[in-house]
Amino acid sequence: MSSSETAQAHGLLHAAAVRDRAHEMLEIGVAGGLDHWRVDLDRLPETARYVASVIRDQYPTLEVPFHARWRHFTVDGVDLWGPLADNIDWPDDAARARTEFDLAIVSVLLDAGSGPGWRYHDAGPDKTLTRSEGLAIASLRMFEAGAFSSTPDDPLRVDAVALTLLSADDLAKGFQVSDANPLVGLEGRAALLRRLGRQCLARPDLFELEDTPRPGGLADVLFAQTDAHHRLPAPAILRLLLEALGPVWQDRLTLGDVDLGDCWRHPAMKRDDATDGLVPIHKLSQWLSYSLVEPLQTAGVDVVDLDGLTGLAEYRNGGLFMDLGVLSLKDPADADKPWPVSDPLVVGWRAMTVALLDRIAPLVRAELGVTAEAMPLASVLEGGTWAAGRRAAAERRQGGGPPLTILSDGTVF
């Protein structure tokens, strides 16, 4: 592999590359150059009003937290993690951050779409949960029980060796999976965590903590990247995650020997180099990046340039733009077909979703009368487009599923 190809491959492992190619895809769509999609930007203002109304309903004070995994650890207003963590006698704030990295990384990697039939009953609040909230609480309960730890007297950790031994049966037990309660991509999720364990063992320079490889070791790598004022740009979190976690994704594209992760081919993305046709998206890695901001802040890191990350190309955000008419299929029958995540129809949809989130964010802020500083993109997502996409789906389809049927292995959506 040539040095130029190596540089080109690494050039796709940045939030800026996701944003640049997403906006290019949208421009192609607006010009009518995509086989499957029509784009109607005139529908964006009405969509922004819809999102703004959802934010007002959920956050009347307009104080919207970041879109992060931590939101899903709250059930009916009760935070199931924060009080537990507050009552632990941590050696220092960095130790808490390492543990929260452990929890967030495993929980986010388990966060791909559950499918419409799965449920999780949590005895704590005596509540039955579905989708992202159910996946979050199931992973939290497994974490609390020491399911990811190989140290019985220290359950609140994720050890590489424990991950390598995790089976689909272990995950099924923790997630209450049965024939009557199926979870999409169960084996894929377990295999993903096993690969995470192997990657932790393979890269002690990134993951090792006191001679024990743990996902939380990444916290120390990021601490070391802060400047003299303890500042860290948010895109640096994503860059580290894409380097550290690249090998855990199975059957994904590579360029030479560089793992490209959540990056796919689309014929409309023309280049005259080795990245021809490649569209980076990195949805789960960016979702995880947002979810690591608060542990870093708790440890005294000032995370800056939060809007340097992009919006998330998942089915709630993408579904919002379909359901509100910004994006429409040229052939309506395509909505009834199952689509692999690698198909250009899905790749184009996801890429345009990223660009449209950039377009809609200032319109939403204008509707609410707030600044970008007061409501960064991470808050627009939370308040926000993700919640609005869920509401729009519930208004239009029984069960509130997405407007497209995606064939998932449990590691993308």
Side-chain angles (χ1 to χ4, degrees):
M1 181 176 181
S2 70
S3 59
S4 64
E5 285 185 336
T6 301
Q8 290 165 23
H10 284 291
L12 297 172
L13 304 180
H14 294 271
V18 175
R19 178 166 274 121
D20 289 348
R21 298 203 180 200
H23 281 276
E24 183 175 338
M25 186 74 73
L26 181 61
E27 291 171 4
I28 296 168
V30 169
L34 298 180
D35 290 341
H36 300 99
W37 294 102
R38 293 189 182 89
V39 183
D40 184 359
L41 294 181
D42 291 339
R43 296 293 304 162
L44 265 183
E46 179 60 31
T47 306
R49 285 190 285 273
Y50 184 86
V51 174
S53 71
V54 172
I55 292 176
R56 288 192 187 98
D57 287 346
Q58 295 198 121
Y59 300 96
T61 65
L62 303 185
E63 296 177 358
V64 185
F66 298 155
H67 190 56
R69 193 53 161 169
W70 308 106
R71 307 291 82 77
H72 293 155
F73 295 142
T74 297
V75 179
D76 290 341
V78 178
D79 183 356
L80 301 180
W81 168 252
L84 171 64
D86 290 342
N87 286 327
I88 293 174
D89 185 18
W90 302 102
D92 51 38
D93 290 336
R96 175 170 176 167
R98 296 178 190 111
T99 294
E100 291 183 334
F101 267 51
D102 276 351
L103 172 57
I105 289 169
V106 166
S107 187
V108 168
L109 291 184
L110 290 169
D111 189 45
S114 65
W118 178 78
R119 302 287 185 273
Y120 180 81
H121 182 78
D122 188 60
D126 191 20
K127 182 89 171 180
T128 297
L129 303 160
T130 63
R131 302 188 183 276
S132 283
E133 290 86 350
L135 293 168
I137 300 304
S139 63
L140 174 61
R141 296 311 192 196
M142 288 187 71
F143 181 76
E144 290 174 341
F148 308 116
S149 173
S150 55
T151 309
D153 61 353
D154 189 7
L156 297 182
R157 57 189 287 152
V158 177
D159 296 326
V161 172
L163 289 179
T164 63
L165 300 175
L166 188 76
S167 70
D169 287 343
D170 296 328
L171 206 56
K173 181 179 179 181
F175 280 68
Q176 301 173 358
V177 176
S178 67
D179 290 343
N181 190 35
L183 176 65
V184 169
L186 177 66
E187 179 54 57
R189 295 169 202 266
L192 179 63
L193 292 191
R194 289 195 296 271
R195 291 195 296 273
L196 172 62
R198 292 194 292 270
Q199 176 65 358
C200 289
L201 293 169
R203 292 293 305 269
D205 57 315
L206 297 178
F207 293 104
E208 193 154 297
L209 287 173
E210 299 176 349
D211 300 324
T212 301
R214 288 170 49 191
L218 295 180
D220 287 65
V221 178
L222 291 172
F223 294 154
Q225 292 182 15
T226 60
D227 65 15
H229 301 284
H230 306 291
R231 291 176 301 202
L232 179 75
I237 304 173
L238 178 65
R239 286 198 298 274
L240 174 62
L241 291 176
L242 292 176
E243 175 191 356
L245 302 183
V248 310
W249 309 109
Q250 193 170 34
D251 301 325
R252 299 287 180 84
L253 296 175
T254 61
L255 182 52
D257 59 359
V258 178
D259 295 289
L260 299 182
D262 187 5
C263 180
W264 310 89
R265 294 196 179 278
H266 195 290
M269 193 59 53
K270 303 294 187 183
R271 291 293 186 277
D272 58 2
D273 60 23
T275 69
D276 182 51
L278 296 179
V279 182
I281 297 175
H282 306 314
K283 178 258 174 178
L284 270 179
S285 296
Q286 296 211 72
W287 170 226
L288 180 52
S289 297
Y290 284 121
S291 299
L292 298 181
V293 169
E294 288 161 72
L296 288 167
Q297 290 174 329
T298 298
V301 176
D302 181 14
V303 181
V304 299
D305 191 20
L306 195 62
D307 281 358
L309 299 173
T310 78
L312 302 181
E314 44 78 50
Y315 69 83
R316 290 305 182 197
N317 290 323
L320 171 72
F321 294 119
M322 289 184 68
D323 284 336
L324 274 292
V326 180
L327 298 176
S328 60
L329 291 163
K330 290 182 176 179
D331 183 356
D334 284 343
D336 300 321
K337 303 174 184 176
W339 296 96
V341 293
S342 59
D343 193 278
L345 181 147
V346 177
V347 177
W349 177 48
R350 297 181 72 207
M352 288 192 292
T353 294
V354 170
L356 288 168
L357 290 168
D358 277 347
R359 294 273 194 122
I360 203 172
L363 301 180
V364 171
R365 295 183 190 116
E367 287 288 329
L368 297 172
V370 299
T371 65
E373 183 178 13
M375 190 174 289
L377 181 58
S379 297
V380 174
L381 294 172
E382 176 62 26
T385 56
W386 188 87
R390 171 177 279 185
R391 181 178 294 186
E395 292 169 348
R396 287 160 175 79
R397 287 173 296 280
Q398 185 175 5
L404 282 180
T405 300
I406 308 299
L407 299 173
S408 175
D409 64 355
T411 65
V412 178
F413 280 94

